[in-house]
Amino acid sequence: MSSQIVRPLDSVSAFLKRQHGLYIDGGWVAARGQGTLPVFNPATGEQIATTADADEADVDQAVQSAHQAFISGVWSRRLPAERERILLRYADLLEQHTEELAQLETLEQGKSIAIARAFEVGSTLNWMRYTAGLATKVSGRTLDLSIPMPEGARYTAFTRKEPVGVVAGIVPWNFPLMIGMWKVMPALAAGCSIVIKPSEITPLTLLRMAELATEAGVPPGVFNVVTGSGGVCGRVLTSHPLVSKISFTGSTATGKGIARSAVDSLKRITLELGGKNPAIVLKDADIQQVVEGLMMGSFLNQGQVCAASSRLYVEAPIFDQVAAAFEGAVKGLTVGPGLDPSFQINPLASQAHQAKVLGYLEDARRQDAELIRGAQGPNGNGFYVSPTLVLNPDNHLTLTREEVFGPVLCLSRVDDVEQALALANDSDYGLTASLWTRDLNAAMNLTPRIEAGTVWVNSHTLIDANMPFGGFKQSGTGRDFGADWLDAYTETKSVCIRH
Ligand code: NAD
């Protein structure tokens, strides 16, 4: 172990030892279900905490609490400025607990403590403050009408944005705190109540965030957390009759199942799903910028990023130079536990996911793909996968078509930009893409032809609270972030007045 390893705070050790219940109606509640779920440290494979496995009755209790809070008006009818102030206080509380939340995230998820501090907490603070501000920006329009009867009558209408009701938030394990807050904050800013379910792999930070919400002044019942499996807890929550809106982030397969069940009661849905994100590198690109930008875009958080670049299409004249630069960079990555900030690659989030990623690589190797592997993780039981380049893989390999969600980057030589575009768009996914060129005309002419919800030029994976994010094709439906974010958490009511 490196000498730079961070020692967990006493508050973190104490939190891990707790008997975790569910957070319902502003406090801890023991689950009625007898089951429990272990939480593991991906760097060691050791169990570090135990959480409740909520059953149908537990989930119902949480939804009933959220519903009662919503119809009581204790939050939904509060002055927008008061909601904004409480949510800003909530962000301040997270900032005061930065190190505690960052350590908890590294311990349950595996990521670097440096990334946990900078992104999982640091970026989340930006999002929380931006979204808190939206609470006081909700507005409708006034409408002139042309209804001709009865003769002489005049009508004016206006639209109101009203909170949609109880929101079910379902969160994956790659950025548990950040993605959790991407659901809690717009729901609460709009005046909704929420029941949120973290991934069973990474439930700890959202449990802690529930306590901080109450401390900030969010009323009981407005913010509830249920922990448990997807198959029971998640399914019961997303199909509950009192839930009006589902905000889901996770895999495309799970998202499709949730969308099917939502149709029965026509729940509003936002789905942020998987990606298989291409990067197109034109022959005039700045190679150093390409390598720096796409090493970050591909290997941040061990590639467990929905927007990660995973397929590079490089024009032939610079392919060898680009491939050599990536090989040097990948072989230079250091691999070790996330609590030591000097390591650039850390373990994957779970043993099952490690096995899945290794399976993709083994399948590619069996089919004679050329693999270039970086350093191995430390010996032991951690869930490590070496950072790996795959050179010129066949476009029909499973690895080039399915979302690997690991530290694996495919590099392919293409004859020209038309071939690159055809390959980039040859995917069921359409979440993000990037284009690398110094030619402004090429950038402006090519971006409309790329099938993705976000296209970066000369960068990749950079997101911002003010820039809408979401998928084309099977990468999802709806958009998060941006000035219109609360639209997804409100209903539009037209009020028509005769005068
Ligand atoms: P997953 O779909 O396996 O699980 C996501 C969540 O859904 C978990 O909380 C899980 O318990 C729950 N769940 C599972 N089955 C359910 C069901 N039947 N009903 C309700 N809930 C259920 O995804 P994951 O492995 O946790 O996360 C990785 C995936 O998330 C990747 O595909 C990644 O691309 C995607 N992701 C997308 C974005 C985005 O913004 N588009 C962001 C991050 C992650």
Side-chain angles (χ1 to χ4, degrees), residues 479-492:
R479 293 291 178 273
D480 278 345
F481 317 158
D484 301 327
W485 197 0
L486 300 198
D487 284 356
Y489 293 83
T490 54
E491 293 281 16
T492 301

Side-chain angles (χ1 to χ4, degrees), residues 170-174 197 200 234 249-251 254 272-274 306 403:
I170 305 282
V171 183
W173 47 255
N174 58 333
K197 190 198 96 61
E200 47 275 58
T249 303
S251 63
T254 309
E272 296 286 355
L273 309 179
C306 56
E403 185 184 38

Side-chain angles (χ1 to χ4, degrees), residues 221-282:
V222 172
F223 179 3
N224 309 275
V225 183
V226 288
T227 54
S229 68
V232 176
C233 176
R235 182 182 48 76
V236 173
L237 176 58
T238 51
S239 55
H240 197 291
L242 291 178
V243 166
S244 304
K245 151 98 189 166
I246 300 168
S247 176
F248 171 81
T249 303
S251 63
T252 294
T254 309
K256 285 181 184 175
I258 287 175
R260 272 184 217 108
S261 77
V263 164
D264 279 344
S265 53
L266 282 183
K267 297 184 195 316
R268 280 67 183 127
I269 49 172
T270 304
L271 300 174
E272 296 286 355
L273 309 179
K276 186 73 192 170
N277 310 295
I280 297 176
V281 182
L282 303 190

